[in-house]
Amino acid sequence: MAFLDNSGDIILDAVLTDAGRKRLARGDGTFKVTKFAFGDDEIDYGSYNTSHASGSAYYDLEILQTPILEAFTNNRSSLKSRLISLTNNNLLFLPALVLNENDLNEDTQRTEDGAGNPLSSGSFLVSVNANTNTDLGEIALIGAKGYIVGNQILKKGVSRYIRVDQGLNTTKLSAGKPLSTELTERQYMIQIDNRLGTINDFKNQGSPAFIDDDQIATYYITMGVGNYVSVLPPGELDGGTDPMNGPAGDYQVIPGPRGTSLQFGIGASDNLKSSTYLFETIGETGISAPGPSATFSTINTTVKVTGVTTGYTLDIPITFVRTST
Amino acid sequence: MAQSFKTLLSEDKATTRTLLHEAIPITGTIVSGTYDDENIKYFSHGMYEAVYDYPYLSSSANHIFDITCGYASGSDFQDSSNEQDTKKINIYNQMAQVLVGYDVDGAIQQFDVDGNLGGGAKMTSCYFLNFARLLVKDEIKKNSFRFDFYANNDKTDAFDPDARDGKVTIGDYDAQTEYLTNSPAGEYGLLYTSSADPLSDGESVVGHVYYQAGIVVLTSSVILGGIPTTETDGTPLVHASDTGSAQDGFESLTINENANAIRYAYDNIDFNNTIELNSTIYFCRANNTEYNYSSNPTYLSDSEIIVKGNNPTANPVSYITTVGLYSPDNELLAVAKLSEPLKKTPSNELTLRVRLDY
């Protein structure tokens, strides 16, 4: 997309997204605009210079000169970061979503990047069938950190899982008090390529709210529904563990006031379980890992977690893996 | 509670209807000349020929209009021994069915010169120019159609552009108030020269322009002299008319050869099309207390808001570059981009007007 001409009057370039056109074409009344949001995708707030020598009028000079791209029609490509409304104008901190990998049992950690194994690349590794579990077991990846059994739904600890914590990621505020109600997320949105995988709460597979034209499934996760969301306990960090919960409890990653924790498992889609087609078309095949005679195929993707209240997002790298045997 | 979505209320939506017009000039050099007829597509059925704005084998060529001709069964020109007699009758009947309709007995009505179907002279042998949707869009704007052509060509020489003569301009003059509505295909106007007075003499009409259908019907008598034309392989033909009209061509030439005669008589066509835009306008309002913070990852440094400069009492600031319109289940249905970032603080309010056209 080109930049919009910003030499004259402010113009507004509006387009339907591909998802909007798809709903319009369906003619079933699902094309219904009921709400709006503002975004600031192009803005780099790092350019905001509060110490500009010419004064406050120049703080945002660079930001205001940022050229803006034309609208994308892909519904996944826009509104990556939304503006949010908060009643308190005196906030100095806002909560973030942080991938929690502090579990001492290594239940929530990614594979190690650069560990000498091509399958170990800093992402969560999701096996798609039992044969893959067996072959990964030969190279001691089964049971290793970052390895998620994707062909069945298992309890936390039996299989690895993903944990995202929400809170003020700062040491300037005490973690002894919980995050304010206004900033606490009670609903999350998880987006995953529906051709590749699903999410579960270690007991039941989730149901997507909708699947868009790009086959991206959107799951809404609400606190109190399923076993996904729990309130994080307050308490100062102590060497990566939370003394408030005991050594085997919730290992915290947020050093400041905490909100909620989102925890979920990843399952492989039936397509990946039963066919190599997607591995051959959008993945990489013939990957040799040290040890076993089998070779592996992988597909790299991301799972996007968004806080519905604050709009904060986190992209988590996922690798689906399948053995050749 | 923090919010990033705001519900659009009934007063935040408005619907409008706007008519847009584009000027459409179709010069004679496109219709015959520039592309050495490589932009003319003939068909094996020979019922019509198609004119493109570029050699039609190119993917960048656009179909702009078709030319064909026909006459009514039992008309003066019709004879079973004529070239493509059945096809010419078929074409006339097809166009008359669509544009004039049927009488109370279910018979196809003929094109009436002054549009009064109750009586008067009929156009029983006609040329048809069918314009593509690409040009016409929703309809031709009334009183905008003008056709320049050479009506009185040298009937003794082989085809030669320099031999063209008798240039006339016909148009749907005064049609913005004088158009007719008794066609099943919508509204139409009468075509005549600017000096004619068809309302009083009832005879000087030489054709019709059907606005919504995008079709021009010309009576064969618009051609006053000979008909220099070519065969579909480009071989020049001259058909002199014993009667000084196009009768000879309608009788002994194929539809394509008659269409070529129109192309070579053609000088210029101008009209304005009409596009009916139905729009929904969404007024996206940001009050002073709203949208002053951002979830942009660069907004925070270790959860601390950068634009505050470590001062809790400083006003938060955000910058709007994008407006998203969402479904009830938060799927992004439309996106609007601003040409420059808009600053949003607790001391200002904004209303962004997002228009979606259908």
Side-chain angles (χ1 to χ4, degrees):
Chain A
M1 296 296 161
F3 289 123
L4 292 166
D5 183 355
N6 59 3
S7 60
D9 293 338
I10 296 175
I11 58 170
L12 204 59
D13 167 44
V15 294
L16 289 177
T17 63
D18 46 7
R21 290 200 302 269
K22 185 181 176 188
R23 287 192 181 210
L24 204 55
R26 286 212 299 255
D28 57 2
T30 54
F31 182 85
K32 193 173 179 186
V33 175
T34 60
K35 58 180 94 170
F36 71 92
F38 292 126
D40 59 359
D41 291 346
E42 289 92 346
I43 302 299
D44 175 8
Y45 286 92
S47 303
Y48 195 89
N49 182 4
T50 54
S51 56
H52 197 287
S54 301
S56 59
Y58 293 83
Y59 288 177
D60 57 3
L61 190 64
E62 286 189 40
I63 288 178
L64 290 173
Q65 290 173 342
T66 304
I68 308 299
L69 292 163
E70 292 173 319
F72 296 119
T73 55
N74 187 332
N75 60 308
R76 282 199 88 198
S77 306
S78 297
L79 275 293
K80 293 289 211 185
S81 61
R82 296 195 292 264
L83 302 191
I84 50 181
S85 302
L86 294 164
T87 54
N88 185 353
N89 287 335
N90 295 327
L91 295 172
L92 192 56
F93 297 90
L94 285 178
L97 299 180
V98 181
L99 187 65
N100 188 332
E101 300 183 88
N102 280 357
D103 188 309
L104 292 186
N105 294 325
E106 300 183 340
D107 280 347
T108 62
Q109 284 153 317
R110 290 173 289 165
T111 59
E112 285 182 47
D113 194 5
N117 187 325
L119 296 177
S120 182
S121 58
S123 64
F124 288 94
L125 202 60
V126 182
S127 70
V128 303
N129 57 24
N131 284 350
T132 307
N133 294 335
T134 303
D135 288 344
L136 288 174
E138 282 188 38
I139 55 175
L141 269 180
I142 190 159
K145 61 184 178 182
Y147 169 78
I148 295 175
V149 177
N151 61 319
Q152 55 185 313
I153 297 174
L154 297 174
K155 290 179 182 176
K156 283 193 282 189
V158 178
S159 174
R160 309 304 189 197
Y161 61 98
I162 296 171
R163 173 175 169 175
V164 176
D165 285 2
Q166 186 239 355
L168 300 184
N169 193 21
T170 178
T171 55
K172 294 182 179 177
L173 295 175
S174 166
K177 289 196 300 183
L179 190 62
S180 71
T181 306
E182 185 179 36
L183 298 177
T184 300
E185 288 287 357
R186 286 173 175 75
Q187 192 177 40
Y188 292 89
M189 187 167 74
I190 303 177
Q191 291 174 303
I192 184 172
D193 191 326
N194 195 56
R195 296 171 301 174
L196 307 180
T198 57
I199 68 153
N200 63 71
D201 67 349
F202 321 108
K203 189 175 181 184
N204 298 306
Q205 184 174 308
S207 298
F210 59 87
I211 300 168
D212 74 7
D213 59 301
D214 302 314
Q215 290 297 309
I216 303 301
T218 299
Y219 296 79
Y220 279 99
I221 308 298
T222 305
M223 194 160 80
V225 179
N227 302 310
Y228 295 99
V229 184
S230 58
V231 176
L232 289 170
E236 303 299 337
L237 290 183
D238 181 14
T241 65
D242 177 13
M244 304 295 289
N245 255 12
D250 281 295
Y251 303 100
Q252 304 298 335
V253 68
I254 303 280
R258 299 177 195 120
T260 55
S261 175
L262 170 69
Q263 301 175 21
F264 59 96
I266 302 279
S269 69
D270 290 342
N271 280 340
L272 295 191
K273 289 176 184 173
S274 60
S275 164
T276 59
Y277 175 75
L278 286 171
F279 286 99
E280 290 163 357
T281 51
I282 60 174
E284 187 179 356
T285 59
I287 299 171
S288 299
S293 55
T295 60
F296 296 91
S297 301
T298 60
I299 298 174
N300 294 318
T301 184
T302 57
V303 171
K304 183 176 182 179
V305 175
T306 305
V308 173
T309 302
T310 63
Y312 205 93
T313 61
L314 182 66
D315 287 330
I316 302 166
I318 304 288
T319 300
F320 289 93
V321 59
R322 181 188 173 98
T323 179
S324 60
T325 60
Chain B
M1 179 70 76
Q3 286 185 333
S4 57
F5 294 112
K6 186 172 179 183
T7 301
L8 288 158
L9 306 175
S10 57
E11 60 264 32
D12 298 326
K13 300 178 191 175
T15 56
T16 62
R17 177 175 172 270
T18 312
L19 297 181
L20 299 180
H21 303 291
E22 297 171 319
I24 308 293
I26 309 172
T27 59
T29 53
I30 293 176
V31 176
S32 63
T34 298
Y35 300 114
D36 199 20
D37 286 2
E38 289 179 1
N39 62 325
I40 308 301
K41 189 174 184 180
Y42 299 107
F43 301 89
S44 58
H45 51 65
M47 300 283 276
Y48 68 93
E49 68 183 34
V51 181
Y52 287 72
D53 64 355
Y54 197 67
Y56 66 85
L57 290 176
S58 165
S59 60
S60 56
N62 295 300
H63 177 211
I64 52 177
F65 68 96
D66 300 317
I67 311 174
T68 185
C69 68
Y71 46 58
S73 177
S75 64
D76 291 346
F77 293 0
Q78 193 262 322
D79 189 280
S80 60
S81 63
N82 285 352
E83 186 75 33
Q84 290 187 307
D85 178 61
T86 306
K87 290 184 175 178
K88 287 171 183 168
I89 294 172
N90 281 351
I91 287 288
Y92 185 91
N93 285 346
Q94 177 199 350
M95 304 304 282
Q97 274 180 287
V98 173
L99 301 175
V100 191
Y102 307 92
D103 63 17
V104 291
D105 298 321
I108 299 170
Q109 300 194 99
Q110 296 178 344
F111 291 97
D112 192 281
V113 171
D114 64 4
N116 181 359
L117 296 173
K122 305 295 182 185
M123 297 190 290
T124 56
S125 51
C126 302
Y127 300 103
F128 302 99
L129 306 182
N130 302 2
F131 293 95
R133 174 70 56 209
L134 179 71
L135 304 187
V136 175
K137 299 292 175 64
D138 290 324
E139 63 179 86
I140 295 170
K141 185 184 178 188
K142 297 179 184 72
N143 192 21
S144 74
F145 185 84
R146 301 291 181 268
F147 182 17
D148 303 331
F149 63 98
Y150 295 92
N152 194 15
N153 301 301
D154 189 327
K155 59 186 179 184
T156 58
D157 290 341
F159 172 71
D160 175 4
D162 294 335
R164 301 189 302 178
D165 195 13
K167 184 177 175 182
V168 294
T169 298
I170 60 173
D172 59 338
Y173 300 101
D174 302 322
Q176 71 271 31
T177 55
E178 301 294 344
Y179 63 88
L180 299 162
T181 59
N182 58 347
S183 163
E187 298 152 351
Y188 66 103
L190 305 179
L191 294 175
Y192 49 89
T193 60
S194 59
S195 59
D197 187 8
L199 297 179
S200 61
D201 63 26
E203 295 178 351
S204 50
V205 175
V206 295
H208 299 162
V209 52
Y210 291 83
Y211 297 113
Q212 287 84 22
I215 296 175
V216 168
V217 180
L218 297 174
T219 181
S220 59
S221 60
V222 294
I223 302 296
L224 302 175
I227 308 176
T229 182
T230 65
E231 298 180 47
T232 54
D233 64 0
T235 305
L237 290 171
V238 176
H239 279 255
S241 167
D242 294 336
T243 61
S245 74
Q247 181 171 355
D248 189 42
F250 270 78
E251 291 174 350
S252 59
L253 296 181
T254 64
I255 291 174
N256 284 335
E257 288 163 351
N258 277 285
N260 284 344
I262 287 293
R263 285 200 297 117
Y264 295 131
Y266 183 111
D267 184 54
N268 192 49
I269 282 180
D270 266 310
F271 63 87
N272 285 1
N273 69 17
T274 302
I275 304 161
E276 183 179 323
L277 274 185
N278 289 291
S279 308
T280 305
I281 299 169
Y282 298 94
F283 296 94
C284 301
R285 307 178 206 274
N287 295 328
N288 61 327
T289 57
E290 296 170 332
Y291 297 111
N292 296 318
Y293 293 92
S294 172
S295 62
N296 190 318
T298 66
Y299 197 65
L300 304 177
S301 174
D302 290 337
S303 275
E304 188 170 343
I305 299 171
I306 287 178
V307 296
K308 289 260 189 173
N310 202 28
N311 177 5
T313 60
N315 273 336
V317 180
S318 64
Y319 297 87
I320 301 171
T321 67
T322 313
V323 186
L325 301 178
Y326 287 86
S327 66
D329 52 1
N330 296 348
E331 185 160 29
L332 184 61
L333 301 179
V335 184
K337 300 288 289 196
L338 288 152
S339 57
E340 58 187 74
L342 277 183
K343 188 175 186 175
K344 181 69 188 74
T345 71
S347 59
N348 67 357
E349 295 192 345
L350 298 169
T351 298
L352 298 181
R353 185 174 168 276
V354 180
R355 193 182 79 187
L356 290 181
D357 296 329
Y358 301 95

